[in-house]
Structure formats: structure tokens, C-alpha cells
Amino acid sequence: NYSFENAWIGQFLLIAIAFLALFLFLQLLQHPILQSTRNITFILFLILLMVAITALIVKINPDYLYLSPVCLAPIIIRVFFDSRVSLYIYLVSIIIIGFLVPNSFEYIFYQLITGMMAITSVENFGKRSKFFQVSAVIFITYSLIYIALTLVQDTSLKNLQLSTFLIFSGNALLTLMAFPLIYIFEKVFGFVSEVSLMELSNTGNKLLRELSNKAPGTFQHAVQVANIAEDVINEIGGNALLARVGGLYHDIGKIADPMFYIENQSTGLNPHDELSPEESASVIKNHVLQGIEIGYKYKLPEQVIDFIRTHHGTSKTRFFYMKQKSLFPNDPIDENAFAYPGPRPYSKETAVVMLVDSVEAASRSLKIHNEENIDKLVDSIFEGYLKEDQFTNSKITLRELDQIKQFLKKKLRSIYHVRIEYPVK
């Protein structure tokens, strides 16, 4: 005797096993998704949304099953996370939906192949116009599978239905909903997508133009930091685009008082000559707080503002700290007066921008850019940050730090055209 109750229990167990497999996969990757309730909520919501839409369409008319834009799930997840996570979550989604639809095997085959093609198409998202390209890929993939299955089942193309192609085109058009949905999810869940990062990396936007006009030296420094930080992350692994954007905006607070920073001083006048070391340190430290304020004013994503917060960590304004010690060698020094507010970097990307920022800025002060001076400079900066425990909150290893150090030495030699000295015969 068939028992609906037992069938429901069986389906529940199968769905639970699918979610367990997803959880174990994410745990194996040690993915940060599992460390955030926000991420888990977002993923579960997206899966349930796709299941609900498909169930509603099946209830209304099963003939319109393929109108359900299930490929929205892997596209949206890929924009916020990576391809592996996107594929596994998509697999769980279509397995669950498979229990609700007729011809489950055929349905899962359609969705699996089309979803994989969609994920591949989303790679290296650079412009929002690429959504149209992904939409076209989805329509073509559905159509080719439909033609192939018709040949297998009927050995003829006579039974091809124009209405089916229209349903596929409707599905592809509905996939364009990814564009507004990504924007909504960014605001609701506090995410930042590759699409938004690409727009922020455009140096012609209003905020970066203002930085270029008011603090041209700082702007050039920021562009250099962004380029190098992106290269470093590509070398050690991580979100290179996020590091690039973080590098562009990390010093945005210098817009407020540009002439207090040496890279913007072109007249030979230095306003710090009129200030005590403590007063100078206060001005310099303030660019972090001013940067955060400007970031919120221009509605920068929280992940980008994190670079402004952390690019000096809790280190000291070393020049003015040492100047205070030399001027008043016998007086006690208030360490807090010279220390940046922090916090310390708490991601690989923010740690890299901190290091690149310091190394790039310090390299400009070298009088002779030879291999020995560059190596000493980079080594001293790394040692200083390690002694101050600036990397304790960031997920960066000593091996990666050594990779970064060697990469930066090589990069600076290239920038300053340092030649290897060959022995003279």
C-alpha cells in the first residue's frame, strides 16, 4: 500500500541529505559562508525562492515549467561568491525542485547543463551588459538540449514546438531579473558584487575625480597601490578586484586636508613646520576617520570602507613619534597620541593593501633606488608590522607574507628600473 506520509518522510530525508552534502562541502573548503548567518540566510532564501516559483508554475500549468528562471540562483550566487559554491548550491536547488516536477531526470539534465553554462558565462563579470550575453547563452543551451532530446526520442525534428522555444526565450528574458535582484540583495544583505566593484574601480567616477583634483599626489599613490595590491592578490590568491578597489579608496580621507601630506606639497611649504609632533600626528591620523566619513557620504560599500579603517591598523605615525622622542628625550610619551585608531586588518585583502601602501609610500623617499636599499626598506616594514602584531586578525600566513615580501621587492626593482650589477672582467 502506497503511503503519502512515508513518501513525504522519504523526500524530507533526501532533501536533508542534499543540504548535509552542501554543508560538508562548504566546511571542507573552510568557506567564510558558514561563519556568517547573513550568508546562510541569503542562500537559503534564494533556494526557497526558486523552489517556490517553480512549484507555483507547476501548479498553474506544468506545460510552462521551463519558464521558471532557475538559473537566476547560480548567476546571483556566482556574482557574490565563487564558481564552486555557486555550482554546489545550484545542484541542491535543482535536486529539491526535481521532487516537484514531472520527468525529473529530464528536468535536472536541462537545468544542470544550462546552469553550468550560465556559471561559466558569469566568469570575469566586467559590465552589466554581460547579463544579456548570459541570457543568450541560457536560451541557446535550452534550445540545443531540446533539439537533441527530440532527435533521441523521435528521431525527427518534425515534432519541434515553436511554443517551447518561446518558453525558453521567456526564461532567458526573466534571467535579466538578476540585474535588479543583485542590487536589492546588495542593499538588503550588505553584499558587494563584482559588478559594483568594477564600477567603483572606474577612476572617472565622482569621488576619485575629486581626489585627483584636490590631492593629485595622493591619487597617483592610490592608483599605484591599487595596481600593485591587485597583482599581489593574484599571486597569493584572494579577491583581486576587491583589493584593487580598496587600494583606490584607502586614502580618500586626505581630500579634507591635502597639503598636510608630502605627496601633495609642490610649493616647498610644509604646514607641519608650524605644528608640534603631537599636533601633526593628530592631523595625519585624522585622515582615517575623515575617510570613513567620506566613504559613508558617498555610499561606498562596507567592504570598501574596511580598507580605509584598517590600512594603518594600530601602528604609529612613526616619523612624528621619532621626532617627539628626539625633541623631548627625557619626557614620557603618550603612545596613544601617535597611534592610528585601527582596527588591524581582518582579511587577506586589507592586510595586503596595508603592506603595499606602506612600501609604495616609503619607496618614494629613498634617495638611491638600488637593490640593497629596496630590500632593506621592504624587510624593515614587514618586520615592524610583525612586531606590532598587525596581522593577528587577518587570515594571512607567514608563507604568504614571505611571498608578498619577495613580490614587492621584485616589483619595486621593476618600477625604479634597478639593474643587476654584473661583475666586471
Side-chain angles (χ1 to χ4, degrees), residues 354-390:
M354 167 194 265
L355 286 165
V356 175
D357 173 43
S358 296
V359 168
E360 201 282 332
S363 69
R364 293 170 182 258
S365 65
L366 288 176
K367 293 180 179 178
I368 302 175
H369 292 94
N370 57 28
E371 186 174 353
E372 182 183 358
N373 287 346
I374 287 172
D375 287 356
K376 283 182 180 179
L377 174 73
V378 175
D379 286 338
S380 67
I381 288 172
F382 273 70
E383 287 170 14
Y385 280 141
L386 283 169
K387 285 179 182 178
E388 294 175 347
D389 294 325
Q390 294 298 325

Side-chain angles (χ1 to χ4, degrees), residues 87-238:
L87 179 59
Y88 268 76
I89 291 171
Y90 183 57
L91 284 172
V92 171
S93 301
I94 60 176
I95 287 170
I96 295 170
I97 294 172
F99 292 118
L100 306 173
V101 301
N103 300 320
S104 296
F105 176 79
E106 182 178 303
Y107 174 83
I108 290 175
F109 182 81
Y110 264 106
Q111 302 302 344
L112 177 60
I113 301 302
T114 308
M116 290 170 67
M117 293 298 291
I119 292 169
T120 304
S121 301
V122 177
E123 286 291 337
N124 301 317
F125 238 135
K127 299 177 181 177
R128 294 188 187 269
S129 60
K130 193 159 187 178
F131 283 108
F132 291 96
Q133 180 183 326
V134 177
S135 180
V137 167
I138 288 171
F139 172 74
I140 292 168
T141 306
Y142 272 132
S143 299
L144 289 175
I145 294 172
Y146 174 54
I147 292 169
L149 287 176
T150 301
L151 283 172
V152 169
Q153 294 166 358
D154 300 333
T155 67
S156 171
L157 296 178
K158 292 180 180 178
N159 294 324
L160 287 177
Q161 300 291 323
L162 177 62
S163 60
T164 303
F165 289 103
L166 290 174
I167 289 172
F168 292 154
S169 63
N171 184 304
L173 289 173
L174 286 172
T175 306
L176 294 175
M177 286 294 293
F179 176 80
L181 284 174
I182 287 170
Y183 178 79
I184 292 169
F185 288 139
E186 281 184 316
K187 300 305 177 186
V188 173
F189 291 95
F191 294 144
V192 57
S193 69
E194 288 185 15
V195 183
S196 294
L197 289 175
M198 283 300 299
E199 291 179 345
L200 287 169
S201 69
N202 180 1
T203 54
N205 68 47
K206 185 177 180 181
L207 182 52
L208 290 180
R209 280 204 316 271
E210 185 178 351
L211 178 65
S212 177
N213 292 330
K214 292 185 176 178
T218 298
F219 176 75
Q220 294 301 323
H221 162 69
V223 170
Q224 191 80 294
V225 170
N227 291 335
I228 299 173
E230 184 178 25
D231 290 341
V232 170
I233 291 295
N234 281 324
E235 186 81 8
I236 68 171

Side-chain angles (χ1 to χ4, degrees), residues 283-303:
V283 172
I284 297 297
K285 290 192 308 175
N286 203 36
H287 86 272
V288 173
L289 299 177
Q290 288 171 325
I292 294 170
E293 186 178 328
I294 292 169
Y296 282 123
K297 177 184 175 183
Y298 281 84
K299 296 183 169 62
L300 293 181
E302 198 69 32
Q303 291 89 334

Side-chain angles (χ1 to χ4, degrees), residues 286-333:
N286 203 36
H287 86 272
V288 173
L289 299 177
Q290 288 171 325
I292 294 170
E293 186 178 328
I294 292 169
Y296 282 123
K297 177 184 175 183
Y298 281 84
K299 296 183 169 62
L300 293 181
E302 198 69 32
Q303 291 89 334
V304 176
I305 293 175
D306 285 343
F307 287 89
I308 303 171
R309 288 191 182 99
T310 62
H311 73 278
H312 287 294
T314 55
S315 63
K316 294 183 180 68
T317 52
R318 192 165 301 280
F319 176 82
F320 296 109
Y321 177 74
M322 298 306 296
K323 186 177 180 181
Q324 178 78 0
K325 286 184 76 172
S326 65
L327 290 175
F328 307 100
N330 299 320
D331 294 348
I333 296 179

